[in-house]
Amino acid sequence: MTVPRHVAVGMFVRCLFIQASWSYERLLGGGFAFALLPALRRIYRDDPEGLSSALKRHITPFNAHPYLAGLAVGSVARLEAAGTAPEQIQRFKEAVRGSLGGLGDHLAWAAWRPVTLLGAIILLLYGAPPLVVVVAFLAVYNAGHVALRVWALATGLSHGADVAGRVRSAKLPIQADRLQAMGSLLLGIVLGSLLAGRLQSAVLPGLIWAFLAVIGFALGLRAGHTVLRPAAGTIVALLVLLTLLGAL
């Protein structure tokens, strides 16, 4: 038995509110059961007791990143439709909860959100009206996380318990690393723009800025993560300098 499209759409809309009933007792458990309910009603439409039992099983504690929780919701819906034993479904949920949380934090909170926010700051620094900046940020950020939610639910519904292989083939950790690298570049642009505006070209002409940028880029390519701490120290030093200049 497969989940019809209109049921999948209902599940997706509910996944948008998966944190609405978050609690310390069940974490996302209530939202998980809420998002899964349209599929359960379809699967157990002739078995009220089976529906009640399934809801009780899935309202138990569960946690994952909200943007990737649909991966587990879709997989469980497919497993329930296939008549998989409840114990096996529970083991599957326990196996994926930690990885979905860590992967989602790495991809969304540590990569996508900073990149879109820094992009918005750059727009503001270079003269874009505040309203345009806000609209652009909201449009880009939400387009990204909605696309991730759609992919997660669709992948879960399509692959069931075999989602691990699909997640590996999607190379989400690599995509997160690339976004973080882009975020580092955007942060450099923001700090360079702020510092250049303070110091003016009389102190450090444009050619010197270009020369320093090329050196920094080359060091990043050559040394990779080994320059993380020196880079962090440089950023802190620039922020202190900007603060001092602002106080003058």
Side-chain angles (χ1 to χ4, degrees), residues 99-227:
S99 58
L100 292 181
L103 179 58
D105 288 346
H106 184 47
L107 182 61
W109 299 157
W112 181 242
R113 185 167 60 182
V115 163
T116 54
L117 181 58
L118 287 167
I121 292 173
I122 290 172
L123 286 177
L124 186 63
L125 289 175
Y126 284 89
L131 180 59
V132 172
V133 173
V134 172
V135 171
F137 167 73
L138 292 176
V140 175
Y141 177 79
N142 286 302
H145 92 74
V146 169
L148 182 60
R149 287 177 184 265
V150 170
W151 175 86
L153 181 61
T155 300
L157 289 171
S158 300
H159 293 80
D162 298 326
V163 292
R166 183 67 185 90
V167 171
R168 282 194 297 269
S169 65
K171 299 179 180 179
L172 294 184
I174 295 177
Q175 301 303 325
D177 291 340
R178 289 174 177 171
L179 283 172
Q180 285 185 322
M182 183 184 298
S184 299
L185 174 63
L186 294 178
L187 179 60
I189 293 174
V190 169
L191 290 174
S193 299
L194 291 173
L195 192 58
R198 289 289 186 180
L199 296 180
Q200 301 298 329
S201 60
V203 180
L204 285 179
L207 287 178
I208 297 180
W209 278 110
F211 178 70
L212 292 176
V214 171
I215 291 178
F217 184 73
L219 285 175
L221 291 177
R222 179 70 177 175
H225 290 295
T226 61
V227 298

Side-chain angles (χ1 to χ4, degrees), residues 1-11 38-39 42-43 45 81 157:
M1 176 183 176
T2 59
V3 176
R5 183 179 297 273
H6 72 278
V7 174
V9 171
M11 294 170 64
R42 175 79 179 185
I43 296 166
R45 60 185 181 275
L157 289 171

Side-chain angles (χ1 to χ4, degrees), residues 51-139:
L51 174 60
S52 177
S53 178
L55 275 176
K56 290 178 181 178
R57 292 198 308 269
H58 294 301
I59 206 171
T60 53
F62 178 80
N63 201 30
H65 192 281
Y67 295 174
L68 290 178
L71 198 66
V73 172
S75 298
V76 169
R78 185 177 177 91
L79 292 173
E80 288 280 1
T84 307
E87 296 80 9
Q88 186 175 345
I89 295 177
Q90 183 59 32
R91 287 196 297 270
F92 170 80
K93 290 175 64 177
E94 293 173 355
V96 301
R97 55 182 288 176
S99 58
L100 292 181
L103 179 58
D105 288 346
H106 184 47
L107 182 61
W109 299 157
W112 181 242
R113 185 167 60 182
V115 163
T116 54
L117 181 58
L118 287 167
I121 292 173
I122 290 172
L123 286 177
L124 186 63
L125 289 175
Y126 284 89
L131 180 59
V132 172
V133 173
V134 172
V135 171
F137 167 73
L138 292 176

